[in-house]
Amino acid sequence: MSETWHILGVGSIGGLFAHRLHHGGATVRLLARSRTSANRTIRLTTPESDQSIRFNCVSVADEGDISHLLITSKSWAAGLALQKVRHRINHQTTLVAMMNGMQHIADLRAVAPECPLFLASTTAGCHRDKDRWIAAGTGKTLIGHPTGSAAPTWFETWQRGVPALEWCTDIDERLIEKVAINACINPLTAVHRVKNGALLSEAFKAESNSVISEVVAILEELGHTKLASGLHSTVRAVMTDTAENTSSMLSDVLAGRRTEADSILGWLLTQSTHDRPTLRALLSQLQSIEPDS
Ligand SMILES: NC(=O)C1=CN([C@@H]2O[C@H](COP(=O)(O)OP(=O)(O)OC[C@H]3O[C@@H](n4cnc5c(N)ncnc54)[C@H](OP(=O)(O)O)[C@@H]3O)[C@@H](O)[C@H]2O)C=CC1
Ligand SMILES: CC(C)(CO)C(=O)C(=O)O
């Protein structure tokens, strides 16, 4: 029998995965920050289909244990969001955090140290246009536990509903690679307000190289030598493959939303024992242009 999955942070990715877990056979409940109606319809348009599903919607303040919780807020909001359902979770609650950045990992562990925390990352692009969720493509989704353990039984539900899903026994390494790539691309695109591919041009070459070199140095400090040695070419490949994309950080800046800079650049800076002046300057530039949460 499939599980009940509650979803905390029902934005673009939360709505997409509500559909996917529903298709995997899970009973899905959306957690609302304030009391709303008992149901919420999410219309999801993908390149292949257009489907509306009516989900049961419950308030974070309600009572009742949560067995499986998918958290899809922004990284900086995850700890605060989990705090709101703290009374509904216990050592048997499975937590899955699916978001970019790294800061949420420590924040979630601080709120619920007794819960098994699984980490996930997706390249499935999705955005909202009023009441419609629009998915760009299937993307790839990685999930795993930092101990490198084998997949638990609930993973079968995910396998049935989530396309291009991979269980990872090295999820930490994969997330660190993702945060390193995001740190090399997103802040520069956001500060200069350019698409990802523009960073390959002569105009941004020097600054981009110094960002990548500082991230490489931090990866080396952390012992990720293989990631470090390939980072320059990995980043250039992602810039090329996503040349026409507006990065998530630039989208946040253009929409006047708080970015995930703290959780990406800020987290990397906290991992280093050396000064990293280019990254530090970029972080303070981003902090100066973004609204308070
Ligand atoms: N969208 C995409 O294409 C991709 C996103 N990601 C990553 O996935 C994560 C989620 O992104 P995305 O879905 O786009 O973000 P959204 O801003 O669309 O969704 C975040 C959701 O979290 C909710 N939230 C914020 N604070 C709280 C809180 N304290 N309690 C409960 N809910 C809260 C927001 O609620 P409210 O609406 O009320 O503010 C919002 O619905 C990010 O880390 C992002 O980088 C990764 C790959 C692709
Ligand atoms: C496209 C890419 C890889 C750029 O870092 C990304 O993940 C984002 O925009 O957040």
Side-chain angles (χ1 to χ4, degrees):
M1 203 180 81
S2 290
E3 325 76 42
T4 295
W5 281 88
H6 282 76
I7 301 188
L8 184 60
V10 189
S12 304
I13 292 296
L16 174 66
F17 277 78
H19 268 251
R20 289 176 162 190
L21 291 175
H22 170 87
H23 286 302
T27 300
V28 175
R29 296 198 199 295
L30 310 180
L31 284 158
R33 280 205 256 185
S34 49
R35 171 128 344 249
T36 50
S37 57
N39 297 294
R40 183 171 173 194
T41 298
I42 293 187
R43 177 181 171 195
L44 174 68
T45 306
T46 71
E48 297 82 32
S49 65
D50 185 7
Q51 190 185 23
S52 294
I53 299 178
R54 198 167 145 91
F55 291 101
N56 191 261
C57 193
V58 292
S59 164
V60 288
D62 286 355
E63 300 297 327
D65 288 352
I66 290 176
S67 62
H68 296 80
L69 182 64
L70 171 62
I71 309 161
T72 47
S73 66
K74 292 290 178 90
S75 178
W76 51 263
L80 292 169
L82 188 63
Q83 194 66 56
K84 296 278 192 274
V85 291
R86 182 53 269 203
H87 61 291
R88 304 183 62 178
I89 60 178
N90 56 54
H91 68 284
Q92 288 180 318
T93 307
T94 292
L95 304 180
V96 175
M98 184 184 296
M99 57 200 77
N100 286 344
M102 295 296 276
Q103 184 51 47
H104 59 275
I105 301 173
D107 293 348
L108 292 171
R109 284 194 184 125
V111 175
E114 78 281 28
C115 296
L117 174 62
F118 295 81
L119 304 172
S121 170
T122 189
T123 60
C126 189
H127 71 277
R128 270 176 299 172
D129 181 12
K130 301 195 183 79
D131 288 336
R132 196 155 70 107
W133 270 249
I134 301 163
T138 52
K140 195 172 169 183
T141 300
L142 309 176
I143 186 162
H145 191 274
T147 56
S149 60
T153 51
W154 54 256
F155 188 62
E156 288 167 21
T157 308
W158 283 65
Q159 280 178 307
R160 285 192 298 267
V162 181
L165 177 70
E166 185 191 332
W167 181 261
C168 291
T169 50
D170 60 349
I171 192 72
D172 270 346
E173 177 106 348
R174 309 287 277 270
L175 293 183
I176 285 169
E177 181 176 28
K178 172 91 173 144
V179 89
I181 295 168
N182 284 156
C184 293
I185 300 178
N186 297 14
L188 284 177
T189 60
V191 163
H192 297 295
R193 301 190 178 219
V194 293
K195 292 194 171 177
N196 296 355
L199 300 180
L200 291 162
S201 70
E202 207 50 41
F204 298 110
K205 205 171 180 179
E207 197 181 5
S208 170
N209 278 338
S210 90
V211 169
I212 301 172
S213 299
E214 289 187 13
V215 176
V216 163
I218 297 174
L219 291 179
E220 281 166 351
E221 273 188 271
L222 293 174
H224 294 287
T225 45
K226 198 162 162 229
L227 288 184
S229 65
L231 195 68
H232 276 275
S233 59
T234 307
V235 168
R236 270 193 298 273
V238 176
M239 286 173 181
T240 307
D241 292 347
T242 64
E244 283 311 308
N245 289 15
T246 299
S247 77
S248 54
M249 202 173 281
L250 175 55
S251 303
D252 285 339
V253 166
L254 295 175
R257 295 187 295 254
R258 179 172 168 179
T259 73
E260 294 182 296
D262 282 342
S263 190
I264 295 172
L265 280 180
W267 182 83
L268 281 170
L269 285 166
T270 62
Q271 303 303 301
S272 179
T273 53
H274 299 270
D275 186 29
R276 305 294 174 194
T278 316
L279 300 185
R280 188 166 38 78
L282 270 178
L283 178 60
S284 58
Q285 264 177 290
L286 286 161
Q287 285 168 335
S288 70
I289 54 175
E290 67 182 20
D292 294 332
S293 53

